[in-house]
Amino acid sequence: MLNRFMLIVVFVPLAIILIALAVANRELVAFTLDPFNPGNPKLTLTLPLFIFLFLALAIGMIVGSLATWVKQGRYRKLARQRGVEAENLRQAVSRVPTAPQGATPGSAQGSALPKPTN
């Protein structure tokens, strides 16, 4: 349900806006990487403006995703540590000897746990 909502409310209008932007900005634009000699053909790229806009959007999304991933690193580390701790506790519990059949819990074995009170 949430996926369909996101598709209809967010992505469909965004797609319409991006298509309109691409159609409106079809003119060729020169993008140069040499600030001292803007006419240098080796460092100049001529493409439609909408391609530069889409590239800027994609680069921004990638940089933002990487920044989020780096910032959340401590939580991933904590989750790994707790996962290892949980696995160690599972193995420790599986190594605990069980009481012989017919024995009541807490009898003769000197149980470390107190008897429950009602």
Side-chain angles (χ1 to χ4, degrees), residues 36-99:
F36 302 110
N37 185 10
N40 187 354
K42 292 181 183 175
L43 296 175
T44 301
L45 186 61
T46 304
L47 293 171
L49 179 61
F50 73 90
I51 291 179
F52 290 121
L53 294 174
F54 288 165
L55 284 174
L57 179 68
I59 290 170
M61 289 174 60
I62 291 169
V63 168
S65 298
L66 286 174
T68 302
W69 183 75
V70 168
K71 184 144 178 91
Q72 294 175 349
R74 63 180 171 187
Y75 300 113
R76 288 191 306 278
K77 181 179 179 183
L78 183 62
R80 279 192 305 271
Q81 289 172 344
R82 289 189 177 169
V84 167
E85 182 181 339
E87 185 58 35
N88 290 341
L89 289 173
R90 275 191 207 102
Q91 290 176 0
V93 166
S94 68
R95 286 191 302 259
V96 172
T98 59

Side-chain angles (χ1 to χ4, degrees), residues 3-18:
N3 289 338
R4 184 167 302 265
F5 176 76
M6 291 293 289
L7 178 71
I8 293 171
V9 173
V10 176
F11 294 125
V12 169
L14 184 63
I16 292 170
I17 291 170
L18 289 175

